[in-house]
């Protein structure tokens, strides 16, 4: 006789709550109920609930709060509400022109169904190493605005992501918006991704942001990688190396060969570690090359 294990595909019993607004959501989340989760688009959380890897007693759905759904340009910043859908970012001409790295990332997220449901706040807050927007936020120097009972906090990506599925959000806090600096003249950004197949989670991702002088030499650079690392990680040695230089094949080759030095590459039973290192190196090199090309108008 053979016995087969069957994975449960229904969540454990929970209370579903849809608050009327952000203040209502904060009030609910600030209650004494410890076993409570926030739902944005649900594209990462729902599968965990259905397989009972995650169990909660209360689920607070903020995905339809209109005051959290916006893309605004003001005073040299692009502000994106936490409930803004990924598909809205893909369709936004403002995002395509002013934050090209974010557009690059969003257009490659999974498939149209996921992009139509998934939210930028959920992608950030879930802190899955395989999510794409966090590494863009780090490379571009974005800030994350969180709100709770005690008021508002502005958090940099370096301080927001603490580990896989772990952030610095305090109990009762939620992400309200993500703020990106607007692109200026002689600046370029890019995102690259290596995945096994279309719609799959990434093996390695990288985002780069560069500013050049009028002669085409790099004045500042921010290069970050993720998916293969526990949290989005800046490559400061590579940033320092390329600063003051014009990108050419020799510099790109140096970057490719040295990107993974000292990096904490996560182990994965489905991916050969040497192949993953190669993917990280290739992704970082290509994102830097593309960001530089955009900065100089190539």
């Amino acid at each position: 006789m053979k016995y087969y294990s069957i994975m449960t595909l229904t969540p454990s019993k929970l209370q579903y709550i849809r608050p009327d607004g952000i203040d209502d959501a904060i009030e609910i989340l600030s209650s004494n109920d410890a076993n409570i989760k926030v739902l944005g688009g649900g594209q990462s959380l729902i599968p965990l609930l259905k397989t009972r890897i995650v169990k909660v007693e209360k689920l607070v759905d903020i995905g339809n709060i209109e005051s959290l759904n916006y893309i605004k340009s003001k005073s040299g910043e692009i502000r994106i509400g936490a409930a803004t859908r990924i598909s809205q970012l893909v369709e936004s001409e403002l995002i395509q022109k002013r934050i090209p790295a974010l557009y690059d990332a969003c257009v490659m997220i999974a498939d149209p169904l996921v992009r139509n449901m998934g939210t930028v706040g959920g992608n950030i807050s879930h802190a899955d190493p395989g999510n794409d927007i966090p590494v863009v936020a780090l490379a571009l120097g974005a800030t994350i605005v969180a709100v709770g009972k005690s008021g508002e906090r502005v958090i940099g990506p370096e301080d927001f992501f603490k580990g896989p599925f772990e952030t610095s959000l305090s109990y009762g806090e939620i992400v309200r918006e993500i703020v990106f600096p607007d692109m200026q003249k002689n600046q370029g950004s890019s995102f690259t991704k290596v995945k096994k197949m279309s719609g799959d989670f990434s093996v390695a991702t990288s985002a780069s942001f560069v500013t050049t002088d009028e002669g085409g030499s790099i004045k500042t650079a921010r290069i970050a990688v993720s998916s293969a690392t526990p949290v989005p990680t800046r490559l400061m040695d590579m940033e320092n190396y390329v600063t003051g230089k014009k990108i050419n094949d020799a510099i790109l080759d140096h970057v490719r060969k040295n990107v993974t030095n000292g990096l904490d590459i996560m182990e994965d039973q489905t991916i050969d570690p040497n192949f993953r290192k190669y993917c990280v190196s290739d992704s970082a090199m290509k994102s830097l090359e593309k960001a530089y090309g955009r900065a100089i108008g190539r």
Side-chain angles (χ1 to χ4, degrees):
M1 179 179 295
K2 294 183 178 179
Y3 292 88
Y4 298 92
S5 61
I6 300 176
M7 181 178 287
T8 300
L9 290 175
T10 56
S12 57
K13 187 177 180 180
L14 56 83
Q15 181 182 4
Y16 173 81
I17 305 169
R18 179 177 285 186
D20 295 326
I22 189 168
D23 292 336
D24 190 21
I26 291 171
E27 190 67 36
I28 295 166
L29 292 168
S30 300
S31 67
N32 293 323
D33 297 306
N35 197 4
I36 190 168
K37 274 279 189 183
V38 176
L39 178 70
Q43 299 308 290
S44 297
L45 181 57
I46 292 297
L48 297 178
L49 292 172
K50 291 176 73 173
T51 53
R52 304 197 181 187
I53 294 172
V54 172
K55 294 182 180 181
V56 299
E57 293 175 1
K58 293 182 178 180
L59 194 61
V60 182
D61 186 354
I62 67 168
N64 292 292
I65 296 178
E66 285 299 320
S67 63
L68 293 177
N69 189 331
Y70 55 85
I71 303 171
K72 301 176 182 177
S73 174
K74 185 178 180 181
S75 303
E77 296 176 330
I78 309 294
R79 311 182 82 91
I80 304 172
T84 305
R85 307 290 171 176
I86 302 299
S87 59
Q88 291 176 259
L89 300 180
V90 173
E91 294 165 1
S92 168
E93 187 174 336
L94 181 68
I95 299 299
Q96 293 178 34
K97 290 184 176 180
R98 311 269 274 277
I99 322 179
L102 182 60
Y103 173 78
D104 292 344
C106 290
V107 79
M108 287 193 280
I109 290 176
D111 53 47
L113 177 61
V114 171
R115 293 194 290 270
N116 285 338
M117 292 297 297
T119 64
V120 62
N123 197 279
I124 289 277
S125 301
H126 194 58
D128 186 333
N131 282 355
D132 297 330
I133 296 177
V135 72
V136 176
L138 178 61
L140 271 60
T143 54
I144 298 153
V145 181
V147 289
K149 271 282 193 180
S150 58
E152 178 183 290
R153 279 202 303 147
V154 178
I155 313 166
E158 292 93 340
D159 299 320
F160 186 81
F161 301 104
K162 295 299 184 182
F165 307 101
E166 182 184 1
T167 72
S168 62
L169 287 174
S170 300
Y171 182 77
E173 278 188 321
I174 59 174
V175 171
R176 188 184 72 193
E177 65 179 358
I178 297 88
V179 184
F180 287 87
D182 201 348
M183 295 288 291
Q184 305 299 320
K185 183 182 177 183
N186 296 333
Q187 291 183 338
S189 69
S190 174
F191 169 88
T192 56
K193 179 176 185 173
V194 179
K195 52 187 177 180
K196 295 179 182 178
M197 62 185 74
S198 179
D200 200 1
F201 280 104
S202 54
V203 175
T205 57
S206 177
S208 293
F209 170 81
V210 298
T211 302
T212 62
D213 60 23
E214 293 300 330
S217 296
I218 293 179
K219 293 171 61 177
T220 58
R222 292 172 66 98
I223 311 167
V225 296
S226 191
S227 293
T229 54
V231 295
T233 304
R234 281 181 64 185
L235 307 175
M236 293 190 179
D237 287 345
M238 295 299 99
E239 293 173 0
N240 293 333
Y241 171 74
V242 301
T243 299
K245 297 180 173 68
K246 296 180 180 180
I247 295 298
N248 56 36
D249 290 344
I251 290 173
L252 290 173
D253 190 54
H254 176 90
V255 170
R256 180 181 59 81
K257 290 177 179 177
N258 292 277
V259 159
T260 58
N261 292 346
L263 271 186
D264 180 14
I265 303 294
M266 293 191 297
E267 294 184 3
D268 188 323
Q269 293 180 346
T270 67
I271 304 171
D272 179 87
N274 290 324
F275 173 68
R276 191 162 213 177
K277 282 186 177 183
Y278 170 82
C279 291
V280 172
S281 300
D282 190 65
S283 181
M285 179 193 70
K286 288 179 177 176
S287 76
L288 173 62
E289 181 181 25
K290 192 172 182 179
Y292 178 75
R294 286 172 169 171
I296 63 174
R298 182 182 295 165

